[in-house]
Amino acid sequence: MGIVLAPTRKLRASLGSDRIIEYDAPVGCIAVNPAGVDSTLAWSTTRENAIISISPDALSELAAHEFDLGHAELQPPAFGTVDLWALSIAQRIAAELAAETTPNELYLDSLVTVFGVHMLRTYTGRGKQPVLPKGGLSLNSARRVREYLDERFTRKVLIAELASVAGVSPNHFILRFTKTFGMPPHRYLINLRLDLAEKLLADGKMTIAEVAFVAGFSDQSHLAVTMKKYRGRTPTKAGPASFKS
């Protein structure tokens, strides 16, 4: 899927045939290219697009969880179609990838999951709308997820595996988790990593770079930027001297 982030004139495209269509693409214009369908695209000016690729297996699995569909076949909209909801998600993905710090993988995975659900809901022709959850996770599901994250928060974690632990669909998991814990999954993960980092920094037995690695951050700079953003101080300020009474 391609979403136009800046207006582009005179695109020349084909999808599934040799027929070339020329059109102007405003912001939010979306192009959907199902797997295995031949396509072409030509342009003469600089383009600013967000490209989101979801494998057929991942899309089918999402369709089974969210819509109880055994097979989901995307039906591309006409060239020039504007999708503002897809645009809003694409802009968040682009902003996260363009940020100075290392992108939050769980946040990106959450956005792609929501985007996939939107594609299935809008471009499969099934017309079946999922019933959104009204409550949070059950006590048992919340406990399992909390314990799972407590054991694995320093490594890469995906929405699909957390949803499996909770026993709900990926899209429902994001909503239910947020209702239960008062924050989305990626923010909860950041808090766990920062809590550990602050504890290790207070102990004073590791360098900041070592603490960053152990706590699940990509490097010292990633830890510093994240701690400043969410805790209002730098790793240096979180060292042993800062915790003396």
Side-chain angles (χ1 to χ4, degrees):
M1 284 72 69
I3 303 92
V4 175
L5 300 179
T8 306
R9 296 196 61 199
K10 295 184 177 180
L11 287 176
R12 297 178 299 282
S14 69
L15 181 64
S17 72
D18 295 330
R19 182 189 177 197
I20 302 296
I21 297 177
E22 182 174 290
Y23 66 101
D24 294 336
V27 172
C29 186
I30 187 170
V32 179
N33 190 170
V37 177
D38 292 333
S39 65
T40 65
L41 180 65
W43 61 93
S44 57
T45 58
T46 301
R47 292 192 306 138
E48 184 179 351
N49 282 16
I51 306 298
I52 301 174
S53 178
I54 303 177
S55 72
D57 288 344
L59 198 63
S60 294
E61 184 175 350
L62 196 58
H65 283 305
E66 301 294 336
F67 299 90
D68 196 25
L69 296 178
H71 175 69
E73 184 176 346
L74 290 174
Q75 299 177 0
F79 290 125
T81 297
V82 172
D83 187 328
L84 296 180
W85 178 244
L87 173 64
S88 69
I89 302 174
Q91 288 173 330
R92 295 178 191 181
I93 291 175
E96 183 68 14
L97 292 174
E100 294 183 1
T101 186
T102 302
N104 185 292
E105 293 177 333
L106 189 57
Y107 179 49
L108 289 176
D109 191 45
S110 299
L111 291 173
V112 172
T113 298
V114 173
F115 186 87
V117 171
H118 175 66
M119 290 295 103
L120 291 168
R121 182 183 303 159
T122 310
Y123 302 111
T124 58
R126 297 300 181 109
K128 181 180 179 181
Q129 299 295 318
V131 178
L132 297 178
K134 295 181 180 180
L137 296 169
S138 67
L139 291 177
N140 286 336
S141 292
R143 175 185 54 78
R144 290 197 302 270
V145 171
R146 185 187 298 108
E147 292 175 350
Y148 189 87
L149 284 172
D150 284 344
E151 295 176 358
R152 297 169 176 81
F153 68 88
T154 60
R155 68 165 180 81
K156 181 178 180 179
V157 181
L158 298 177
I159 289 296
E161 64 183 282
L162 293 176
S164 179
V165 171
V168 298
S169 68
N171 187 49
H172 282 197
F173 171 78
I174 297 171
L175 297 172
R176 289 183 184 278
F177 184 99
T178 303
K179 287 179 179 293
T180 299
F181 293 98
M183 65 186 74
H186 73 276
R187 179 62 187 275
Y188 187 91
L189 188 70
I190 288 173
N191 281 344
L192 289 176
R193 290 176 176 174
L194 287 175
D195 287 345
L196 176 59
E198 288 184 338
K199 180 178 182 299
L200 295 174
L201 289 168
D203 289 341
K205 297 177 182 179
M206 294 183 180
T207 65
I208 295 177
E210 290 171 336
V211 168
F213 176 77
V214 171
F217 295 92
S218 59
D219 53 33
Q220 180 174 329
S221 176
H222 184 203
L223 168 61
V225 172
T226 305
M227 183 173 287
K228 181 66 175 178
K229 179 179 180 180
Y230 292 103
R231 299 292 165 90
R233 57 179 173 176
T234 64
T236 302
K237 295 294 185 180
S242 301
F243 289 87
K244 291 181 179 179
S245 57

